[in-house]
Amino acid sequence: MLKTPAPCPVSDLAIPHAGGVSNEEFRAAMSRLAAGVVLVTAHDPDEGPRGEDVGMTATSFVSVSLDPPLVLVSLRNGSRMDDLLADVPVWAVSVLAEDQRQVAGRFAMKNRVSDRLLFADLPHTRGGESGAPLVDGALSVLECRTESRVVAGDHTLVVGRVLTVGLRPGGGEPLAYFQGKYRRLG
């Protein structure tokens, strides 16, 4: 009996999904959508004697509803932030300004040093409702309470009710993300 040779291994990135779209094609298409950049933060009271602050850069953050005020952030399943927000119901978002590119970059790094070190020299205040860090100089800051969590593919969509809002005096320009890079709008 003749054996059929095993097929050569193919990267998951090259295998089309049921709809015929590969991960690479989807990523390329979505990179052409400009997005605002935020820092999602939470305080983990169970980490160490005084707890620990956790932060994550996100570009998948949107307003969902005006009444009640709801926002949505998309978190990679199994990420530290996803795991933390499954247990901690309150968290915060700082909408980053164009001059806060370094803040976005430091919290987007893979295999980074502890978040404790990243927050050590970052000017911030602590939210009164969430206890989470609110980045000084952000265009706006929001404190949220989780209303619902929906697993969607390899991410969890977290819908939060906005509890407090703070605005940067005088406004400013947002930090944007487009085609894999942080950008200015102007």
Side-chain angles (χ1 to χ4, degrees):
M1 193 167 171
L2 287 174
K3 277 186 137 179
T4 305
C8 295
V10 178
S11 164
D12 287 344
L13 294 177
I15 299 172
H17 295 278
V21 177
S22 72
N23 289 356
E24 289 173 335
E25 290 170 319
F26 181 67
R27 188 175 289 118
M30 296 312 298
S31 76
R32 286 160 173 80
L33 175 65
V37 182
V38 301
L39 182 66
V40 180
T41 57
H43 183 75
D44 184 353
D46 297 331
E47 188 66 36
R50 291 183 306 223
E52 183 174 13
D53 295 324
V54 178
M56 180 198 91
T57 301
T59 56
S60 295
F61 176 76
V62 295
S63 168
V64 173
S65 169
L66 184 60
D67 187 16
L70 299 174
V71 294
L72 178 146
V73 65
S74 180
L75 308 173
R76 191 180 77 252
N77 292 343
S79 67
R80 183 165 184 206
M81 188 62 73
D82 180 37
D83 292 344
L84 180 58
L85 293 191
D87 295 330
V88 175
V90 288
W91 42 280
V93 175
S94 297
V95 177
L96 300 180
E98 67 181 356
D99 62 350
Q100 294 178 312
R101 185 179 301 216
Q102 280 188 311
V103 173
R106 75 177 6 180
F107 285 93
M109 292 185 302
K110 301 230 187 283
N111 304 317
R112 63 183 187 239
V113 297
S114 85
D115 284 8
R116 187 180 312 277
L117 295 175
L118 295 178
F119 279 109
D121 65 345
L122 179 66
H124 64 278
T125 56
R126 195 159 297 284
E129 295 288 328
S130 66
L134 305 171
V135 178
D136 292 355
L139 294 180
S140 61
V141 292
L142 303 93
E143 290 184 277
C144 307
R145 176 178 305 282
T146 299
E147 291 276 311
S148 63
R149 294 171 53 87
V150 178
V151 175
D154 59 0
H155 278 65
T156 300
L157 308 177
V158 180
V159 176
R161 180 181 295 253
V162 178
L163 304 173
T164 68
V165 171
L167 302 174
R168 177 178 174 172
E173 294 296 321
L175 181 60
Y177 192 73
F178 181 71
Q179 292 191 321
K181 295 180 183 173
Y182 297 116
R183 311 276 183 144
R184 295 177 59 168
L185 285 185

